[in-house]
Amino acid sequence: MSAPAKIAASRLADIVGEQNTSLEPSELAAYQAGGVTPSGVARPGSAEEVAELVRMAGAENLALIATGARTKLEMGLPPQRYDIAVDMTRLDRVAAYDPGDLTLGVEPGCGLAKLQSVLAEHRQFLPLAVPYFRRTTVGGTIATGVDSPLRQIFGTSRDYILGMEFVTGEGVAAKSGGRVVKNVTGYDLHKLMIGALGTLGIMTKINFRTFPLPAESRAFVARFESSKSAFEMRDRVVESPLAPSTIEIFSPQAADLFASEAAARFEARPIAGDLLSPKHWAFTSGFAGNEAVLARCERDLRAMAERCRATGVTVLGQDQIAGAFGRKREFLPIALESSVATAVLKIGVLPRKMNEAVTIAARSADEHGVRWAVMARGLGVIYFVLLPEARDENARGRVAAIAENIMAAVAGLDGHATIPWCPREWKSSLPVWGRTRGDFSQMAKLKKLFDPRNILAPGRFVGGL
Amino acid sequence: MQINHDLVRGLERLLGRDRVLSSREDLLLYEYDGSVEEARPQCVVFPRSTDEVLGIVRLANQFKTPMVGRGAGTGLSGGALAREGGVMIVFSQMNRILEIDYENRRAVVQPGVVNAELSRAVAHAGLHFAPDPSSQKACTIGGNVSENSGGPHTLAYGVTTNHVLAMKLVMPTGETVSIGGAAVDAPGYDLPGLFVGSEGTFALVTEITVKLTPLAEAVKTLLAIFDSIDDTTETVADFTARGITPAACEMLDGWTLRAVEAYVHAGFPLDCAAVLLLEVDGVRESVEAQAKDVAEICTAHHAREVRVARDAAERDLLWKGRKNAFGAVGRICPTYYVQDGVIPRTKLPATLRRIEEIGKKYRLEIGNIFHAGDGNLHPLIMFDARDAEQFKRVVSAADEIIQYCITAGGAITGEHGVGMEKDRLMPLLFSEAELGLMRSVRDAFNPAGLLNPGKIFPSGKGCGETRIRPLPIAGSASR
């Protein structure tokens, strides 16, 4: 045990109680982030305890990472320092739910699936169909900024988070925004916490706008010979008056990933029948509304698919979607388990440039002999997954070359790319956060302001913030 | 504040004499915005490019002079007033739409582009810029970005921050920075999310990349007429509880309705307690059903009548009534004070009852015309500018209304901004530590405090003091 951790041991217990503190190496291993194991874990039961922990850490110069279900601690760069895991799972209350107002305040340690079931009792939901759905916490979902296919119509969490309470790196408990659906009182500081990997503050409460569950919904799948046709289908649908709730495009390899043994660990029910085929690109889309709307959507989508030369079309009814298609949500976790050295590139481009970006990426991966798969979202986000056969220097070199090619290409398409996941020992030599941005110095100002001692997840974020 | 002649000469050298105003009579126009505040700048300048803005900022720094950006001056909280004098940078000549990318549904605009102009420019392609403040025929997109403006249709489509992807900024320290990106999910902290709605206290915006939104295939506008305010507000609460989100849900009470009808002749009933102006949109197949649902709920809450606009002309007339309502009120009562509090929708009936009680208590006429679906209130407190005693009652009533909004779990401003009008109310919502954090964020970007000083944060003067003053003739105002 290192010297600073010894000091922390009794201090942790003072703040959160003996029973909510652990220094057991066997337990601490589960809190590893980017290969770094903390010296202690504290499970605060209130925002005040979180603030006290942060102040203590500041005084003792200890680095903290707030954790939830610990499903995404490998994202970003490894922390430069990591002494104490602040396990937020005791802060799991649904603090204020006003179904009549469609607003919700929830503590970050609350499981997302549990929260969705509370909302479902009132026929409401949050449009967060995110990876690790059954395990992840609300706070982990927001802090990592993982996205949901429902962003097609509902936007991302920044569009429906109304406010937050959080503790800054100086141990100041603060809030911004509020609980009402429209509010311009004060600066929107809470937007900074979304996707920041806990580098600016530790969230202690998140206020959301909730949404009514649709009366009826269906899923539409069309299969194509080429990526060009699948993305052309996307363009036609987006140009049409239909307003689908999701649009996703999968490459042929995705079918194999979804059918793998690894996939069953995340979602028991396999993807039904011939929905996805290892020979075809798939365009999938969800839509909701009354019977007349659904009939119109199906008719129009079939006609569009035909014009885009689809080789097959399947429509799933509401009762079939969760069973037949639940695995789709877990594409990233499944991909991470499908190779010893999976690297995920997240590419953002203008929507009409998606096929070009995918084509360049696929060509580069093929040239370097690395297996790949794609999941793309209709709004211009591509998850390009590289699945090397080995986790060695040779594979690293090939992945680095592909990433470099992709980053150069998307920069020319007004886009950007990052590598949210890859083997941790590669991170120091891969452009994990992409190319340096012109606004980095403004971000650095914010980090310095919110966390002047650099004790909150130091080094995990963009440019080593 | 005295005019610094060296600064003015420097600005004239930079922009030419015709784009610098410094005479007393020229400046008079820029003392006001749409709020009840006033403050006079030392000089007003009209840049035409990012480089010119940069030059202005550097000069202001050199002379340690405050500066403030301004669009059309329609703001309702004094955000674009030169509270501490200095250089007012008016963006009316940076009014070009630089790029329209129809395929990817984006536009790059200069900050002086008028909100409605952008929608008009892309309408032929079935697109529009969704945020639609009632002042949209005059207000600029730069102003919308500064204030994070809303409007009637933001209920379904979101406010300005939901539609901004990227910005080019001139920092008050004299450098340019681009934040965000045309592609979604730019890596790093959400700087556009922080800068939109920062009320011009972080940076001057010189280019904005916005999303364009498809126009709905079908639209229906309904007017539900009620004989009781309670029934009206219960109807709105019931929409929310049932998960029905109309594209717009506006409430006008009888008092304002009569003022509006005298002005626009839209056929609003003169004898009712309140109306809801409702809009539903979407694909053809959904709109009929939505309209039916909405009408049924209105009827269940004792709506006397639910009218459906038969065509675009009828629809436009109804909306003309709503969007010109403040102007219409101004014709009847030239001085009024408008608030912008927000409450949870479940609290709407109780809040309107409370506002009525407050009006009685202080013997004041209070009209209500507001974004009911969002719970965003706009009580209009009428008064006679010559009556100082009455004006004291106006301030007390206004404070009591805001206090109630906060107690109900709401906020002090939904879309108008804090500016120099509500700064003294900020401690009602935020602790000293929270205000300190927000102040330090401002200071990180605006370290010398030269950009838009004296806004958002309480000045520290006695809280009994108020600057709320009578509004001059507001006949042409529209919000």
Side-chain angles (χ1 to χ4, degrees):
Chain A
M1 197 187 296
S2 63
K6 261 185 206 158
I7 304 166
S10 63
R11 297 294 309 276
L12 293 183
D14 286 349
I15 298 168
V16 297
E18 195 82 49
Q19 71 284 11
N20 295 312
T21 308
S22 176
L23 302 175
E24 274 304 313
S26 57
E27 211 173 320
L28 294 172
Y31 289 88
Q32 250 189 30
V36 186
T37 308
S39 311
V41 53
R43 300 180 191 87
S46 68
E48 292 72 34
E49 288 182 4
V50 175
E52 217 174 315
L53 279 171
V54 174
R55 286 195 293 269
M56 184 275 291
E60 311 276 349
N61 193 28
L62 302 172
L64 309 174
I65 293 182
T67 65
R70 307 189 297 269
T71 54
K72 295 178 285 290
L73 284 171
E74 292 298 310
M75 287 181 79
L77 291 166
Q80 287 155 1
R81 300 182 295 134
Y82 178 20
D83 300 300
I84 301 165
V86 182
D87 181 325
M88 300 294 287
T89 51
R90 281 178 69 218
L91 278 163
D92 65 347
R93 286 160 286 216
V94 177
Y97 177 28
D98 186 352
D101 189 41
L102 287 111
T103 56
L104 164 79
V106 62
E107 292 180 335
C110 181
L112 180 62
K114 178 186 138 191
L115 179 63
Q116 296 282 29
S117 66
V118 171
L119 300 180
E121 286 170 27
H122 296 271
R123 294 209 47 79
Q124 294 181 8
F125 76 115
L126 285 176
L128 289 167
V130 294
Y132 301 101
F133 183 80
R134 292 185 200 287
R135 286 173 58 201
T136 191
T137 60
V138 177
T141 298
I142 301 308
T144 55
V146 287
D147 72 343
S148 156
L150 291 159
R151 66 183 293 172
Q152 181 70 30
I153 195 160
F154 295 99
T156 53
S157 54
R158 82 190 283 279
D159 299 308
Y160 45 86
I161 287 180
L162 305 173
M164 262 185 215
E165 293 174 16
F166 53 86
V167 173
T168 68
E170 291 195 281
V172 174
K175 65 173 181 294
S176 70
R179 276 169 43 202
V180 283
V181 297
K182 199 170 170 192
N183 189 357
V184 295
T185 318
Y187 300 136
D188 273 359
L189 302 183
H190 52 278
K191 287 203 166 74
L192 296 171
M193 304 290 157
I194 302 171
L197 294 183
T199 54
L200 293 182
I202 299 181
M203 296 176 281
T204 54
K205 196 171 140 204
I206 308 170
N207 298 332
F208 289 96
R209 170 181 198 159
T210 63
F211 297 86
L213 277 169
E216 274 292 329
S217 57
R218 282 183 203 164
F220 177 92
V221 185
R223 293 166 292 276
F224 299 92
E225 298 281 358
S226 68
S227 65
K228 185 166 175 285
S229 301
F231 283 105
E232 191 189 321
M233 177 76 188
R234 175 261 164 218
D235 297 344
R236 281 182 189 264
V237 174
V238 168
E239 297 280 303
S240 78
L242 310 182
S245 46
T246 68
I247 291 182
E248 287 168 295
I249 288 151
F250 291 96
S251 69
Q253 304 87 336
D256 292 331
L257 296 188
F258 284 126
S260 69
E261 258 175 59
R265 290 208 287 281
F266 297 97
E267 179 62 57
R269 293 164 294 188
I271 288 183
D274 58 354
L275 275 184
L276 301 179
S277 123
K279 291 196 168 64
H280 293 101
W281 285 77
F283 164 94
T284 85
S285 172
F287 46 100
N290 61 33
E291 274 307 322
V293 172
L294 295 179
R296 155 95 182 271
C297 288
E298 186 175 336
R299 191 175 65 239
D300 288 5
L301 287 168
R302 281 184 188 278
M304 287 184 250
E306 196 172 316
R307 280 197 293 277
C308 296
R309 300 167 306 282
T311 60
V313 165
T314 313
V315 176
L316 297 175
Q318 179 152 300
D319 46 343
Q320 299 169 290
I321 295 174
F325 231 4
R327 256 184 207 183
K328 182 169 73 67
R329 189 184 58 215
E330 304 294 344
F331 175 79
L332 291 172
I334 292 168
L336 288 170
E337 295 288 318
S338 297
S339 150
V340 288
T342 305
V344 178
L345 275 97
K346 183 184 179 192
I347 302 167
V349 286
L350 291 170
R352 289 290 190 120
K353 306 277 189 191
M354 279 199 287
N355 187 47
E356 193 177 343
V358 163
T359 305
I360 291 167
R363 192 185 307 135
S364 182
D366 285 342
E367 279 169 11
H368 289 90
V370 178
R371 197 158 68 99
W372 55 273
V374 165
M375 172 178 70
R377 308 237 192 263
L379 293 171
V381 175
I382 301 159
Y383 290 95
F384 190 77
V385 172
L386 291 165
L387 305 155
E389 301 289 330
R391 184 163 169 163
D392 56 17
E393 181 48 32
N394 178 296
R396 192 207 61 81
R398 286 185 284 162
V399 167
I402 298 163
E404 199 39 62
N405 282 343
I406 291 174
M407 285 182 188
V410 297
L413 298 175
D414 282 337
H416 48 76
T418 57
I419 311 175
W421 285 274
C422 71
R424 58 175 71 127
E425 67 275 16
W426 296 1
K427 291 194 173 188
S428 57
S429 60
L430 289 184
V432 166
W433 284 107
R435 303 191 153 189
T436 308
R437 295 174 52 87
D439 53 5
F440 176 75
S441 61
Q442 310 304 319
M443 295 184 194
K445 283 180 192 167
L446 289 167
K447 172 68 178 175
K448 196 167 170 217
L449 177 81
F450 277 85
D451 182 21
R453 292 170 197 266
N454 198 26
I455 56 167
L456 296 179
R460 285 185 81 194
F461 200 56
V462 174
L465 292 180
Chain B
M1 197 174 197
Q2 283 301 306
I3 294 177
N4 184 320
H5 295 285
D6 290 338
L7 169 61
V8 173
R9 271 194 294 278
L11 290 166
E12 284 175 349
R13 269 196 300 278
L14 181 71
L15 304 171
R17 294 191 65 166
D18 58 329
R19 288 195 282 136
V20 179
L21 303 179
S22 59
S23 78
R24 199 183 156 80
E25 55 280 14
D26 282 340
L27 297 178
L28 211 58
L29 256 178
Y30 297 91
E31 283 183 7
Y32 301 100
D33 64 358
S35 74
V36 292
E37 309 291 339
E38 66 182 68
R40 186 177 301 173
Q42 257 184 295
C43 62
V44 176
V45 295
F46 300 88
R48 288 184 184 149
S49 67
T50 299
D51 280 346
E52 286 185 355
V53 175
L54 197 57
I56 295 162
V57 168
R58 286 180 178 159
L59 269 174
N61 268 287
Q62 195 184 319
F63 289 90
K64 296 190 170 44
T65 301
M67 51 201 148
V68 56
R70 181 178 171 104
T74 57
L76 293 165
S77 57
L81 292 183
R83 187 171 198 179
E84 296 184 8
V87 184
M88 177 177 279
I89 304 162
V90 178
F91 286 98
S92 54
Q93 296 191 25
M94 286 181 73
N95 61 352
R96 280 180 303 136
I97 298 173
L98 300 174
E99 190 191 327
I100 300 174
D101 177 353
Y102 292 102
E103 285 196 336
N104 293 298
R105 290 185 181 154
R106 276 138 172 86
V108 183
V109 300
Q110 289 186 320
V113 170
V114 170
N115 174 297
E117 291 294 329
L118 177 58
S119 286
R120 191 170 310 144
V122 298
H124 68 95
L127 299 171
H128 74 303
F129 179 57
D132 64 335
S134 295
S135 56
Q136 71 186 125
K137 284 182 183 161
C139 69
T140 63
I141 294 175
N144 299 163
V145 163
S146 296
E147 302 296 319
N148 190 14
S149 304
H153 289 84
T154 53
L155 175 58
Y157 288 92
V159 293
T160 303
T161 192
N162 307 115
H163 299 272
V164 173
L165 286 160
M167 287 186 269
K168 185 184 270 185
L169 307 169
V170 173
M171 304 306 290
T173 42
E175 64 205 303
T176 58
V177 179
S178 292
I179 62 171
V184 297
D185 295 3
Y189 301 131
D190 182 5
L191 294 178
L194 179 66
F195 276 67
V196 173
S198 59
E199 303 195 15
T201 61
F202 291 170
L204 293 156
V205 184
T206 61
E207 266 181 46
I208 306 148
T209 305
V210 299
K211 296 180 193 169
L212 299 172
T213 305
L215 291 162
E217 183 182 44
V219 182
K220 261 196 192 310
T221 306
L222 298 88
L223 185 74
I225 302 163
F226 294 87
D227 287 324
S228 125
I229 299 253
D230 269 352
D231 285 339
T232 322
T233 50
E234 296 284 358
T235 303
V236 177
D238 205 15
F239 287 148
T240 317
R242 288 170 190 247
I244 292 173
T245 306
C249 174
E250 302 282 305
M251 178 171 160
L252 293 83
D253 71 6
W255 195 94
T256 45
L257 203 63
R258 286 183 279 281
V260 168
E261 182 58 19
Y263 184 34
V264 298
H265 311 293
F268 290 123
L270 296 173
D271 61 339
C272 66
V275 298
L276 289 177
L277 178 57
L278 297 153
E279 198 153 274
V280 292
D281 68 8
V283 291
R284 263 191 314 275
E285 289 78 357
S286 79
V287 167
E288 281 298 334
Q290 285 186 69
K292 190 165 156 276
D293 288 350
V294 161
E296 272 174 15
I297 294 171
C298 292
T299 308
H301 289 279
H302 321 296
R304 179 170 94 191
E305 186 188 345
V306 181
R307 293 182 194 165
V308 181
R310 278 165 300 192
D311 51 30
E314 268 193 31
R315 202 172 80 227
D316 290 349
L317 197 57
L318 289 175
W319 277 111
K320 191 178 164 199
R322 166 62 186 95
K323 294 205 171 180
N324 291 297
F326 284 34
V329 170
R331 280 166 32 114
I332 293 173
C333 179
T335 50
Y336 58 81
Y337 177 55
V338 60
Q339 289 188 293
D340 186 36
V342 199
I343 47 153
R345 278 86 51 101
T346 40
K347 303 282 172 59
L348 208 48
T351 307
L352 267 279
R353 282 196 291 270
R354 187 78 197 108
I355 291 175
E356 196 187 343
E357 285 164 20
I358 291 169
K360 280 187 187 141
K361 176 176 163 189
Y362 291 99
R363 291 172 284 122
L364 294 165
E365 189 76 62
I366 303 182
N368 283 289
I369 170 160
F370 62 100
H371 311 304
D374 288 322
N376 185 188
L377 308 167
H378 291 328
L380 290 167
I381 311 177
M382 268 39 91
F383 61 95
D384 180 342
R386 294 158 301 186
D387 185 342
E389 183 276 331
Q390 188 191 41
F391 186 68
K392 277 189 191 147
R393 284 186 274 127
V394 170
V395 175
S396 303
D399 282 2
E400 217 169 302
I401 292 172
I402 277 301
Q403 193 69 59
Y404 184 84
C405 290
I406 291 168
T407 314
I412 62 178
T413 173
E415 57 180 9
H416 296 171
V418 177
M420 57 194 275
E421 184 216 39
K422 305 180 194 77
D423 55 357
R424 71 195 174 87
L425 301 173
M426 288 291 275
L428 296 176
L429 265 187
F430 295 108
S431 70
E432 197 43 58
E434 286 158 355
L435 290 173
L437 179 64
M438 288 187 190
R439 239 191 231 107
S440 63
V441 173
R442 179 197 61 188
D443 296 347
F445 299 118
N446 183 10
L450 289 179
L451 185 63
N452 211 3
K455 305 293 171 70
I456 300 178
F457 301 101
S459 59
K461 291 176 190 157
C463 57
E465 185 194 348
T466 174
R467 288 173 319 282
I468 300 171
R469 293 195 307 102
L471 188 75
I473 301 301
S476 61
S478 77
R479 45 206 94 161

